[in-house]
Amino acid sequence: MKPVTIIVADDHPIVRDMIKMQIKSKDQWQILGEAEDGVALLEMVREMVPDVVIVDLEMPRMRGDAAIRAINSLRLGVKTIVISGFFHEINLKRVFDAGASAAVTKTAATEELIHAVEQVIDGSTYLSPELAEILEQSKGKDPHTTLTDREKQILTLIAEGKSRKQISEMQLISPWTVDKHRSNIKAKLGFANVAEMVRYAISNGYISPTFDSEDTAS
């Protein structure tokens, strides 16, 4: 029987090691390589053409959903499983729109990731039960309502061009907490960069249209 070949992509070595330990429990599965960012992953896929890629949603240089879209554009038949510690209805929809075959939480049991790999190898899709529930609950729901009051305040300040340090001082929180809120906002609303946050803030009345999203750094 031909072994199932897999590439693991995550910017945290500990996560990659945990996934590799799970994969090695299957005799006919083989790890071809591991990548710490989306660009390196894409290069590996072109060179090695694995059967399956397990990819983190949030990675440096190229997000997981962008990497999935790029992999699918190669038309190599590679199946993609996206993992994340923070799934929300918007980023879930985003990864499946990009062409992901499955989505699994990082907190899932070993058996669930293995089941996801088995499903995509057989040509099926897979979604963790808790993620399926998130999507079901999100039907007809405005993603704006998922933001906390603090997140809405920080979204406004980011869209106005305030720096991390300025937001920290204005909100009386640490710069690390600013980063955490920013990551949560991006994950909840499916943003890839600050320009998208600015456009959203303008269209939803957070700030005046006089702010230029194209001049805002990502």
Side-chain angles (χ1 to χ4, degrees), residues 49-76:
V49 192
D51 296 311
V52 178
V53 166
I54 300 173
V55 55
D56 185 24
L57 178 58
E58 298 289 346
M59 291 191 301
R61 297 210 287 169
M62 184 185 292
R63 284 168 50 96
D65 56 322
I68 290 169
R69 195 177 299 278
I71 289 169
N72 287 334
S73 71
L74 298 175
R75 300 185 182 279
L76 298 173

Side-chain angles (χ1 to χ4, degrees), residues 5-198:
T5 55
I6 300 169
I7 290 178
V8 178
D10 193 291
D11 56 328
H12 295 97
I14 293 177
V15 174
R16 297 200 303 270
D17 288 343
M18 290 176 61
I19 294 172
K20 287 188 296 182
M21 287 179 61
Q22 296 177 38
I23 297 304
K24 287 177 180 177
S25 68
K26 301 289 287 186
D27 292 338
Q28 295 299 316
W29 293 4
Q30 176 185 354
I31 299 289
L32 291 184
E34 53 186 289
E36 62 181 15
D37 62 64
V39 173
L41 169 62
L42 192 55
E43 293 173 353
M44 283 187 178
V45 169
R46 286 195 184 103
E47 179 183 349
M48 302 177 180
V49 192
D51 296 311
V52 178
V53 166
I54 300 173
V55 55
D56 185 24
L57 178 58
E58 298 289 346
M59 291 191 301
R61 297 210 287 169
M62 184 185 292
R63 284 168 50 96
D65 56 322
I68 290 169
R69 195 177 299 278
I71 289 169
N72 287 334
S73 71
L74 298 175
R75 300 185 182 279
L76 298 173
V78 178
K79 306 296 185 180
T80 52
I81 299 173
V82 64
I83 58 173
S84 177
F86 191 89
F87 273 120
H88 195 269
E89 59 262 29
I90 299 299
N91 59 28
L92 270 174
K93 291 174 182 175
R94 192 166 189 156
V95 297
F96 281 107
D97 286 345
S101 302
V104 178
T105 64
K106 285 186 176 180
T107 57
T110 298
E111 294 77 12
E112 188 169 340
L113 181 59
I114 289 175
H115 180 62
V117 175
E118 291 172 338
Q119 289 290 103
V120 302
I121 290 170
D122 288 340
S124 301
T125 58
Y126 179 78
L127 185 62
S128 296
E130 62 189 279
L131 300 183
E133 184 176 351
I134 288 175
L135 286 182
E136 181 62 30
Q137 291 177 348
S138 72
K139 290 181 178 178
K141 183 179 178 182
D142 181 357
H144 167 79
T145 63
T146 67
L147 296 180
T148 66
D149 289 341
R150 177 57 65 86
E151 288 167 350
K152 291 175 184 177
Q153 293 167 1
I154 291 177
L155 171 59
T156 300
L157 295 172
I158 291 173
E160 289 176 349
K162 297 295 190 295
S163 69
R164 176 175 180 258
K165 183 174 183 294
Q166 288 174 315
I167 296 172
S168 171
E169 293 172 349
M170 294 172 72
Q171 294 288 309
L172 302 178
I173 56 179
S174 71
W176 182 89
T177 302
V178 174
D179 291 341
K180 182 65 175 175
H181 283 304
R182 174 173 165 158
S183 295
N184 287 346
I185 293 166
K186 290 172 69 177
K188 285 183 177 182
L189 299 179
F191 295 141
N193 52 50
V194 173
E196 291 184 4
M197 297 173 79
V198 174

